[in-house]
Amino acid sequence: MDYLYAFLVGGGICVIGQILIDKTKMTSARILVLFVVVGCILGGLGIYQPLVDFAGAGATVPLPGFGNTLAKGVMYEVDQNGLIGALTGGFKASAAGITSAIVFAFLAALVFNPKEK
Amino acid sequence: MESSAKNKELYQDMVKKASPNSHIFKNCIKAFVVGGIICCIGQFITNYLKELGLTQNDTGIYTSSVLIFIAALMTGLGLYGKLGKFAGAGSIVPITGFSNSVASPAIEFKKEGFVTGLGAKIFIVAGPVILYGILTSVIVGIIYYFLK
Amino acid sequence: MAKHIGKQSVKFESKISVISTASTVGTKEGEGPLGQYFDVVLKDAVDGEDSWEKAESKIAKDNLSLAVKKAGLTMDDIEYIFSGDLLNQGTGSAYGIRDLKRPFFGLYGACSTFGESMCLGSVMIESGGASKVLVGASSHFCAAEKQFRFPLGLGTQRPLTSTWTVTGDGAAVLSKDGNAPFITGMTTGKIVDFGVTDANNMGAAMATAAADVILANFKDFGISPDYYDLIITGDLGYVGKDLTIDLLKKEGVDISKNYTDCGIEIYDRESQDTHSGGSGCACSAVTFSAYFFDKMKKGELNRILFVPTGALMSSTSVQQGESIPGIAHAVILENSFEEVI
């Protein structure tokens, strides 16, 4: 059952992105920004976590899930360390994601050359 | 052929009529299926790691990293661009799309040098995501501090 | 001497012959409907170089040399080169042409550059300043994407109004002695801006400039569309072609019967997935050099109005919210010279 929910919710979030691309001519960069920011706000409001509990990877793999991770991280750090947590929580929570993206992108750039379409 | 304000307005209407719209329904189906499949792969990795006995937190980190690795590799092989052409938001919105947006400029701009090319341009697409994501998280943190 | 006609046109009085042309294209163009007409179809987009930009320069250099060779001349016979491309500061042309060691005017008219090269090359011959000039223009899909849009590996979808930048170089040798076809006149375009801001709909941005210069050509020479066997715009694609026809209909001129666009001719949009059509400096340059020049040589076309079109924006101007200004230059090519207009 968890695969079905992951598929439906994950696919559904992507459809929202697709409608935005086709209807508003937003570029992919803007979509990425919008989804992370919205995910972070929803996470802060405590609305996104129930979706994660329900759909698992269907809610964590799309970028709003990344935003939710930021919100969760920052609230956790504020709980632990007070106001200073607002400055440290975001990067702590997203450290693994951003660092793996940098590392694997760098390695890919070492190995591969640009390809024509 | 006066480019007066009125003619410009009339021309905008002409352009709208002459320009074909994207096949939004077909695009949405493709985005739904591909996005759903990517999430299922994520779910599969998560379930597998959980069985190995990893904590909830570690599972999340490993799942993201594996997906990011796969997407960076596919970008290097020229496959992710092709997937994106087919799937649109279906491959942009998942975390793999974030990975693609970091790996593709890294590869494209390495000819301009490791510092001024690859180094400076690696976040040309993903930079704004990190900037606004982190900014939002700081605001969320501050509000949370005062409201909790 | 050349005569200024009407408001923005010139009628040449000496015989300016197009004595040879050469075209080099990438694989996609080679697989298209005009594949058999091109002189050289490259095996890949880097052409033995290690970057798209270096490849474009090499393509420009090799193709310009080929045009000279096909004319039975050597590079020393060429008195001036007029050429341009889409890359920042015109490096696509400059780095290719630096090895040719000939006097060079680097031009920028965006995708209308080939028209600009032909016009200025003709003026140079008409003035007596040269007897043989080499004109050309180049573009490269990958280099253009990298500069104007996104890295090639980024997974994005192209809107249906977008066009595909042609990889290649088109070149021609103009001479004061030679056979048909001749460049007999030109109409220089004004910058026309009707407020289009969508960088994925260049056909719409340039159609107004094309319609404007075609209309000016008719007025200045006192002619109607049927004066030409064919009117050929540069890279408006399907969207821009329809708009150009509509714009001119509103002015009381119907060009729908004898009008086509190089961006439509060069690709098969169904099988090649090029959406609205081809674009880039090379689009009009290679389509003329390979296909329409051939048709004129065979006498299948005897009088054409060739109108390369360009969009004069940069990624910076688009990001700052500026609209996209269009430009187009019209070149009259005829097989017979005696015609008195």
Side-chain angles (χ1 to χ4, degrees):
Chain A
M1 253 347 229
D2 50 356
Y3 286 106
L4 182 65
Y5 294 146
F7 184 82
L8 293 178
V9 172
I13 293 172
C14 292
V15 168
I16 298 170
Q18 188 65 42
I19 292 171
L20 286 172
I21 290 176
D22 285 340
K23 284 281 173 197
T24 66
K25 296 185 172 159
M26 281 172 97
T27 57
S28 65
R30 286 174 198 273
I31 298 284
L32 295 175
V33 171
L34 180 76
F35 274 47
V36 169
V37 169
V38 168
C40 189
I41 294 169
L42 293 179
L45 295 171
I47 301 171
Y48 201 83
Q49 194 55 38
L51 193 65
V52 174
D53 298 336
F54 172 71
T60 55
V61 170
L63 280 165
F66 188 67
N68 180 52
T69 307
L70 290 173
K72 263 171 59 185
V74 87
M75 290 189 292
Y76 175 79
E77 286 292 314
V78 169
D79 280 339
Q80 300 291 310
N81 306 316
L83 193 54
I84 194 75
L87 290 179
T88 57
F91 265 122
K92 270 194 189 171
S94 58
I98 294 175
T99 308
S100 0
I102 292 175
V103 170
F104 296 135
F106 186 82
L107 291 175
L110 285 186
V111 176
F112 298 104
N113 280 319
K115 294 199 170 43
E116 60 183 299
K117 273 194 179 164
Chain B
M1 294 291 301
E2 253 328 292
S3 57
S4 60
K6 187 170 159 262
N7 279 348
K8 279 187 181 175
E9 220 165 278
L10 284 174
Y11 188 61
Q12 297 302 328
D13 289 339
M14 285 174 70
V15 170
K16 213 174 265 175
K17 264 186 219 130
S19 307
N21 287 315
S22 307
H23 308 299
I24 187 162
F25 184 72
K26 214 170 82 190
N27 287 347
C28 282
I29 301 272
K30 291 191 280 188
F32 182 74
V33 173
V34 174
I37 290 173
I38 293 173
C39 292
C40 282
I41 297 170
Q43 190 66 47
F44 173 78
I45 299 168
T46 306
N47 290 355
Y48 179 74
L49 293 172
K50 270 189 189 152
E51 266 176 44
L52 292 182
L54 264 70
T55 65
Q56 180 86 24
N57 195 29
D58 287 357
T59 312
I61 290 173
Y62 278 112
T63 305
S64 298
S65 301
V66 172
L67 289 173
I68 286 167
F69 168 76
I70 295 171
L73 181 66
M74 283 177 70
T75 304
L77 293 167
L79 299 175
Y80 208 88
K82 290 197 174 85
L83 180 67
K85 192 171 158 353
F86 173 80
S91 59
I92 291 171
V93 170
I95 190 87
T96 48
F98 177 75
S99 171
N100 170 247
S101 77
V102 180
S104 59
I107 294 167
E108 185 72 57
F109 293 103
K110 79 164 168 177
K111 300 288 179 204
E112 285 75 43
F114 277 92
V115 174
T116 50
L118 193 168
K121 300 220 163 133
I122 187 166
F123 286 130
I124 198 166
V125 183
V129 181
I130 297 171
L131 166 64
Y132 291 106
I134 294 292
L135 269 184
T136 313
S137 82
V138 171
I139 295 166
V140 166
I142 293 170
I143 294 174
Y144 177 73
Y145 175 79
F146 287 108
L147 291 187
K148 74 166 173 159
Chain C
M1 281 300 273
K3 224 164 49 195
H4 188 79
I5 298 218
K7 285 193 166 157
Q8 56 197 84
S9 299
V10 173
K11 167 103 186 78
F12 295 119
E13 294 196 334
S14 48
K15 278 177 129 181
I16 300 159
S17 165
V18 182
I19 55 171
S20 79
T21 60
S23 55
T24 301
V25 295
T27 45
K28 193 179 184 78
E29 292 74 26
E31 288 160 3
L34 305 183
Q36 63 184 76
Y37 292 96
F38 300 119
D39 294 312
V40 179
V41 177
L42 300 170
K43 281 191 209 69
D44 61 52
V46 285
D47 196 23
E49 298 292 313
D50 68 356
S51 74
W52 313 129
E53 294 78 7
K54 288 178 188 171
E56 179 170 346
S57 296
K58 175 162 186 277
I59 294 166
K61 176 181 143 187
D62 290 351
N63 194 59
L64 288 166
S65 308
L66 181 62
V68 173
K69 195 176 147 205
K70 279 178 77 181
L73 302 170
T74 63
M75 200 47 86
D76 286 340
D77 299 320
I78 299 298
E79 283 140 343
Y80 291 94
I81 300 174
F82 294 81
S83 188
D85 59 278
L86 288 179
L87 298 184
N88 288 334
Q89 285 80 41
T91 49
S93 308
Y95 282 79
I97 291 168
R98 75 178 158 185
D99 300 333
L100 299 181
K101 311 275 184 225
R102 300 312 301 154
F104 168 58
F105 284 110
L107 306 179
Y108 186 79
C111 313
S112 74
T113 300
F114 193 59
E116 200 178 350
S117 310
M118 285 180 118
C119 289
L120 294 175
S122 302
V123 170
M124 183 58 93
I125 290 179
E126 177 84 10
S127 74
S131 61
K132 285 184 182 57
V133 303
L134 180 56
V135 301
S138 66
S139 56
H140 192 295
F141 173 79
C142 304
E145 287 290 301
K146 178 175 168 185
Q147 178 176 312
F148 290 103
R149 296 183 79 245
F150 296 114
L152 288 157
L154 190 70
T156 55
Q157 276 171 336
R158 307 161 56 80
L160 295 180
T161 52
S162 67
T163 48
W164 190 279
T165 305
V166 170
T167 299
D169 183 275
V173 178
L174 312 183
S175 167
K176 77 178 174 64
D177 315 296
N179 299 324
F182 307 105
I183 297 175
T184 58
M186 67 186 218
T187 305
T188 308
K190 293 177 284 193
I191 296 177
V192 182
D193 190 336
F194 270 62
V196 174
T197 50
D198 184 358
N200 280 311
N201 198 350
M202 303 292 263
M206 299 185 291
T208 47
D212 190 75
V213 80
I214 292 170
L215 195 64
N217 179 269
F218 294 166
K219 278 188 186 160
D220 288 351
F221 286 94
I223 51 177
S224 56
D226 55 17
Y227 180 76
Y228 298 106
D229 294 337
L230 198 59
I231 297 165
I232 305 153
T233 50
D235 60 347
L236 299 179
Y238 290 90
V239 176
K241 183 191 170 191
D242 290 349
L243 284 167
T244 303
I245 291 173
D246 288 352
L247 284 165
L248 286 171
K249 257 189 196 147
K250 286 193 173 172
E251 301 288 332
V253 181
D254 181 11
I255 60 164
S256 61
K257 281 181 221 71
N258 54 340
Y259 167 45
T260 190
D261 181 77
C262 297
I264 292 174
E265 301 285 339
I266 194 165
Y267 296 122
D268 180 79
R269 82 161 146 180
E270 301 308 326
S271 69
Q272 295 194 288
D273 196 35
T274 44
H275 299 293
S276 189
S279 62
C281 299
C283 184
S284 56
V286 301
T287 307
F288 171 80
S289 302
Y291 183 57
F292 291 116
F293 182 74
D294 183 68
K295 288 206 147 202
M296 290 198 83
K297 272 283 176 202
K298 286 181 182 154
E300 291 167 30
L301 291 172
N302 288 309
R303 187 190 285 142
I304 63 171
L305 185 66
F306 178 50
V307 191
T309 41
L312 297 174
M313 89 304 179
S314 73
S315 12
T316 308
S317 73
V318 169
Q319 282 166 356
Q320 292 181 358
E322 275 274 18
S323 55
I324 300 168
I327 190 151
H329 301 299
V331 184
I332 305 172
L333 288 121
E334 297 182 71
N335 274 342
S336 54
F337 183 71
E338 285 71 30
E339 293 290 337
V340 178
I341 296 172

